[in-house]
Amino acid sequence: MPSLLQRVKSKMAIFAHRKARGMLDGEYGSVFRCRSLDFDDLRAYVPGDEVRDIDWKASARHGSPLIKRYVAVRRQTVLLIADTGRNMAAEARDGETKKDIAVMALGVVGYLAHRHGDVVGLVCGDANGSRAIPAKAGESHLERLLREVDSATALDSGPSNIDGQLEHVARTVKGRHLLFVVADERAADAGTEQLLRRLRAQHEILWLTIRDADLVGERHSSHDAVSVADSALLPGHLAASPDVAAAYARAAVERDAGRHAMFRRAGITEGHVTGSAGVMTELFALLERHRRAG
């Protein structure tokens, strides 16, 4: 069986050259603002590095800017939180299955954690319950986590309910961790916001939303669409209606605005992707926004 982690690593290698990967590593390393660090070595400055990390004396001797690199004295825990309900078996905006995009995103963050010597755990599930795999180190463990998400997500899975997984974390997880949540689009909810505020008081939280397929417009007039959440039917001729398309667009904008406002009030950085091709770029931007917000 092909390795899911190897697929992730291959796409990471294709994404960018060495300097860009180093920038992504640097953004990940900045998430734990209070972690204890020891000086490691120097490397060449690349755009996006913190000016405060420049070693000015060494730069003067070298003739070009050099950045101080640090290593963590102690391991941190990264907890991947994934919706494996049937919504994630649906099609995303770019035509891929949401599950495949989620595996890519979880794999990238998990692999960055592995490279930094951190341990990685998983909480996933649907409305029927949550499953937890304790945090450990190593690529084989990360492969196990990705396989769990991949195998648990199907059209016959229970309804999606990411709040259930968040509540599981709130009840059972002690200490301060980085929570990386991957879920599909959702509307703002007062109960969810209260839960997020509770978690944010204890943890660093990054949230990645996978965008729903666009179900309206001329290109959908030739076939019907079915919601995997409740089996509701959207006939193709209605999807092609300009009035339906306009109402759909307004509802989507309102839902997005409500969700963004909820995350902003809770102090959580959110990103969104439409396909796996955009995962690396969006994760870099997400980590950078989180660092600047802190």
Side-chain angles (χ1 to χ4, degrees):
M1 183 180 296
S3 166
L4 294 175
L5 180 56
Q6 190 58 47
R7 185 192 309 169
V8 169
K9 290 164 66 175
S10 297
K11 289 185 178 180
M12 288 180 72
I14 293 171
F15 164 74
H17 54 72
R18 195 174 191 176
K19 287 185 179 180
R21 286 223 305 273
M23 291 168 65
L24 184 59
D25 273 324
E27 291 296 342
Y28 170 84
S30 72
V31 171
F32 290 106
R33 295 186 295 276
C34 298
R35 73 192 302 170
S36 177
L37 299 173
D38 275 350
F39 174 73
D40 184 26
D41 62 6
L42 298 169
R43 66 164 172 80
Y45 171 88
V46 295
D49 284 335
E50 290 282 353
V51 174
R52 66 189 179 201
D53 288 337
I54 294 177
D55 186 321
W56 295 106
K57 291 184 179 179
S59 297
R61 293 193 298 269
H62 187 263
S64 61
L66 296 175
I67 292 290
K68 298 176 184 177
R69 293 205 298 185
Y70 299 88
V71 293
V73 174
R74 59 187 178 85
R75 284 182 173 179
Q76 308 292 344
T77 299
V78 176
L79 192 58
L80 307 177
I81 304 175
D83 174 7
T84 54
R86 55 177 175 255
N87 282 13
M88 296 298 284
E91 185 178 299
R93 184 71 54 88
D94 286 357
E96 295 174 80
T97 303
K98 291 181 184 179
K99 173 181 71 172
D100 293 338
I101 304 169
V103 168
M104 176 64 184
L106 295 166
V108 170
V109 171
Y111 186 61
L112 286 173
H114 165 71
R115 284 169 58 93
H116 281 252
D118 294 333
V119 294
V120 185
L122 172 70
V123 172
C124 65
D126 52 37
N128 296 328
S130 299
R131 297 176 299 285
I133 299 178
K136 291 174 56 178
E139 292 193 9
S140 61
H141 173 69
L142 181 54
E143 176 72 21
R144 178 193 173 195
L145 303 187
L146 299 182
R147 292 239 167 252
E148 178 68 21
V149 174
D150 183 69
S151 62
T153 310
L155 291 173
D156 60 356
S157 298
S160 290
N161 178 30
I162 193 64
D163 283 8
Q165 285 70 67
L166 297 175
E167 288 168 357
H168 177 87
V169 173
R171 289 194 315 270
T172 64
V173 175
K174 309 300 181 185
R176 183 174 178 83
H177 303 327
L178 169 63
L179 310 184
F180 178 57
V181 186
V182 180
D184 75 335
E185 292 187 38
R186 57 162 305 140
D189 176 85
T192 301
E193 183 171 344
Q194 183 177 11
L195 177 57
L196 291 175
R197 288 177 181 272
R198 177 182 170 191
L199 288 167
R200 181 63 184 88
Q202 180 179 349
H203 305 286
E204 300 282 346
I205 305 176
L206 300 172
W207 191 293
L208 188 68
T209 295
I210 300 179
R211 304 287 277 178
D212 293 338
D214 186 357
L215 300 179
V216 298
E218 289 294 334
R219 71 188 186 92
H220 295 282
S221 61
S222 60
H223 62 274
D224 298 339
V226 177
S227 168
V228 301
D230 56 11
S231 299
L233 175 68
L234 177 61
H237 69 280
L238 290 181
S241 165
D243 291 339
V244 171
Y248 181 92
R250 285 195 300 272
V253 168
E254 291 174 3
R255 182 174 65 174
D256 287 351
R259 185 178 66 253
H260 297 333
M262 176 181 70
F263 284 127
R264 186 170 58 252
R265 289 190 298 268
I268 293 172
T269 309
E270 182 204 17
H272 64 268
V273 290
T274 59
S276 60
V279 164
M280 294 289 290
T281 301
E282 182 56 23
L283 283 179
F284 177 82
L286 180 64
L287 290 165
E288 184 177 33
R289 289 196 301 272
H290 182 81
R291 171 174 58 80
R292 294 185 183 281

